[in-house]
Amino acid sequence: MTTTDPDIAIIGAGPAGLLTALRMHQKGFRPVVYEVVPELKPLGVGVDIKTVGTAEIDDLGLLEEFRAISVDAEDSIFYNHFGQEIYAEKCGVHMGYLHEQRFVHRGTLQMLFYEVALERLGADAIHLGTGVTGYSQDDTGVTLDLRHDDGRTEQVRHAAVIACDGIKSAIRKQMFPDLSEPHFSGITMWRGTTVMEPFRNGHTILHIGDPDIASMIVYPIADNFEGTGRTLVNWVAETNGEETIEDWNQVGDISEVIPLFDTVDLPFLDVRRMMREAREVYLFPLIRHDPLDNWVDGRVVLLGDAAHAMYPRGGNGITQAMLDARVVVDKLAETPDDPHAAFVAYDAARREGVNRIVMNMRGEGYEVIRRMVAERTGGAPVKDIEEVLPLAEADQIFSKYHALVGSPRPGFEAGEATGYRTNDLDEYGATA
């Protein structure tokens, strides 16, 4: 790259913005990052990084650092509202993918990206306490309106702008004022973490419940947490609820939700005790953001949640943002003197496919199998799961979903069964 390469601004120092900055540095660009909060802290709960996301982290040379702060995913198991097993599949390399699927605390991952960005880009490239409230542009660049945490305002000039400013993106609101108001789905999530003894093999994600009553996702996100010898476990409980503000860090009260899981009986995990002993609980309404028919306005482009906010299910939000980052930077590297052309090419490569994922997540994705079982049994316990949901039918559902999100299941096209049921396996995972 030469000294004439464009000066790119990135709005937002969340995982998406920081990963985009690291990708740009990798390609020889000199990005500047603006972040509204004055100090980054490891906030939030767990995220599920799919194999394609781990591949992106690996390509940045951060795989070992990522492994050190995360947990390898081996098994994904689905249960009905009585704790009866419906279906299971292996994860990541254990299924045959080239990269691992890993569970991690969102804030811990963000801090890893931040520390590496400071090291590689320099502290002067990241401006904390600096919010971007709007923009204007002409044929040669973009003028950003900044508001600092001390109340000062100013304008700065950049050749182009990548907006990674999240679900409440000010840039998205300016680009699409008629689409800026989201819609409450009627579903509320309680997201929490609990320090506890590891369950099952210590590398399993659980999907529990009847969606018409309440659902739960549980997975470990840190081993030997803070030297306790115990595991930090992430859990998400989902049920109908009242509309609240759309804020990832809104504190919630789980007491009214716990009784909804009274029927769940798992031999290796007391889910009600896990919720009662939570170290933190956040309340988050599932909000529907309408998919956009364009992510580009001249020299300004949207990325991650700002472009395609989706239900936080299946780890797709953060993983798709990682893919966004690679593609937009690759396109900029191809046409560094024409950011608009690069952004249009990125939009063409990513938007249609990601919008399909957004809509699929509204329809529960592969989690639909728990609803199917509840409907086919009338909400009663299962006597023979193969009669209710044959393994082959479940395999078809999961195969279609994995292909949709860009990770076709190894072996499925060859006719291999990719799912299984753990009651056919011994406690060590070998065929009984």
Side-chain angles (χ1 to χ4, degrees):
M1 310 298 285
T2 69
T3 56
T4 61
D5 293 326
D7 168 28
I8 309 291
I10 297 171
I11 305 174
L18 292 169
L19 194 79
T20 303
L22 290 171
R23 277 288 184 198
M24 296 195 72
H25 175 267
Q26 188 181 52
K27 291 288 187 177
F29 289 95
R30 299 163 300 174
V32 175
V33 181
Y34 297 104
E35 168 55 49
V36 66
V37 303
E39 179 184 2
L40 291 184
K41 298 179 180 179
L43 300 177
V45 287
V47 287
D48 177 4
I49 305 299
K50 301 302 188 184
T51 59
V52 290
T54 301
E56 296 301 314
I57 294 172
D58 186 16
D59 197 52
L60 285 168
L62 297 176
L63 181 58
E64 291 307 316
E65 291 86 346
F66 178 46
R67 284 173 172 164
I69 63 170
S70 60
V71 177
D72 181 35
E74 293 186 14
D75 297 288
S76 179
I77 310 178
F78 295 75
Y79 299 88
N80 67 5
H81 208 62
F82 300 93
Q84 294 176 297
E85 184 180 318
I86 296 172
Y87 181 79
E89 67 172 353
K90 290 293 183 181
C91 303
V93 294
H94 308 283
M95 186 192 285
Y97 288 107
L98 296 179
H99 287 86
E100 302 153 15
Q101 176 181 338
R102 300 193 70 87
F103 307 133
V104 67
H105 192 288
R106 179 198 176 278
T108 304
L109 181 64
Q110 179 184 10
M111 296 309 293
L112 170 62
F113 291 159
Y114 179 52
E115 291 165 5
V116 175
L118 288 175
E119 177 185 335
R120 296 182 183 180
L121 279 70
D124 58 346
I126 303 177
H127 299 265
L128 302 181
T130 306
V132 178
T133 59
Y135 69 93
S136 58
Q137 62 181 312
D138 53 36
D139 291 340
T140 62
V142 183
T143 300
L144 293 178
D145 301 317
L146 305 184
R147 178 178 294 277
H148 298 278
D149 60 340
D150 61 3
R152 291 183 300 112
T153 61
E154 67 171 314
Q155 292 185 321
V156 293
R157 185 81 172 167
H158 293 278
V161 174
I162 302 174
C164 308
D165 50 342
I167 55 176
K168 294 184 178 180
S169 170
I171 303 304
R172 175 186 170 126
K173 185 173 184 178
Q174 180 173 335
M175 288 174 63
F176 301 100
D178 294 337
L179 296 176
S180 62
E181 293 301 322
H183 313 286
F184 179 50
S185 67
I187 300 172
T188 299
M189 282 182 152
W190 284 260
R191 301 158 60 89
T193 62
T194 303
V195 180
M196 54 188 282
E197 295 300 319
F199 61 85
R200 205 169 175 272
N201 59 8
H203 299 273
T204 299
I205 180 170
L206 310 175
H207 313 252
I208 305 166
D210 176 350
D212 284 336
I213 302 173
S215 296
M216 174 175 285
I217 311 295
V218 186
Y219 56 89
I221 56 176
D223 293 325
N224 189 25
F225 181 67
E226 295 182 346
T228 61
R230 299 198 292 170
T231 297
L232 181 65
V233 171
N234 178 81
W235 53 265
V236 182
E238 180 180 302
T239 188
N240 294 331
E242 297 181 358
E243 184 171 5
T244 60
I245 60 173
E246 189 178 23
D247 182 353
W248 292 117
N249 299 312
Q250 179 183 183
V251 176
D253 179 2
I254 197 66
S255 59
E256 294 182 7
V257 180
I258 293 175
L260 296 178
F261 295 91
D262 281 349
T263 61
V264 176
D265 182 14
L266 294 170
F268 53 82
L269 177 64
D270 183 339
V271 297
R272 294 169 295 282
R273 177 179 177 183
M274 177 185 68
M275 289 188 283
R276 287 195 301 268
E277 296 181 353
R279 64 194 295 267
E280 57 190 342
V281 178
Y282 299 104
L283 178 67
F284 186 79
L286 284 188
I287 299 295
R288 294 180 175 178
H289 292 264
D290 294 326
L292 302 176
D293 58 10
N294 181 28
W295 293 348
V296 183
D297 178 17
R299 290 170 173 260
V300 180
V301 72
L302 304 175
L303 186 149
D305 281 349
H308 47 74
M310 64 183 75
Y311 286 3
R313 290 171 170 165
N316 286 291
I318 190 169
T319 298
Q320 293 303 317
M322 291 177 174
L323 298 177
D324 289 349
R326 173 171 52 81
V327 174
V328 75
V329 174
D330 284 349
K331 299 303 182 183
L332 280 167
E334 291 172 6
T335 59
D337 296 326
D338 192 346
H340 174 67
F343 292 162
V344 169
Y346 151 73
D347 177 272
R350 294 287 299 151
R351 178 173 45 80
E352 184 176 336
V354 177
N355 281 348
R356 284 197 296 269
I357 297 173
V358 170
M359 298 308 294
N360 183 269
M361 289 300 99
R362 292 185 184 183
E364 301 176 303
Y366 55 43
E367 299 289 353
V368 72
I369 67 168
R370 291 186 288 111
R371 183 181 299 278
M372 292 168 62
V373 169
E375 291 174 349
R376 293 177 183 183
T377 61
V382 173
K383 294 182 179 179
D384 184 346
I385 186 59
E386 186 63 19
E387 291 184 358
V388 177
L389 180 69
L391 192 62
E393 182 182 1
D395 263 356
Q396 288 282 355
I397 293 169
F398 277 71
S399 172
K400 183 177 180 180
Y401 168 80
H402 287 299
L404 172 72
V405 299
S407 301
R409 298 175 76 179
F412 187 82
E413 291 186 0
E416 299 174 13
T418 48
Y420 65 98
R421 293 197 166 106
T422 63
N423 53 13
D424 295 328
L425 304 178
D426 67 22
E427 61 180 315
Y428 302 103
T431 300

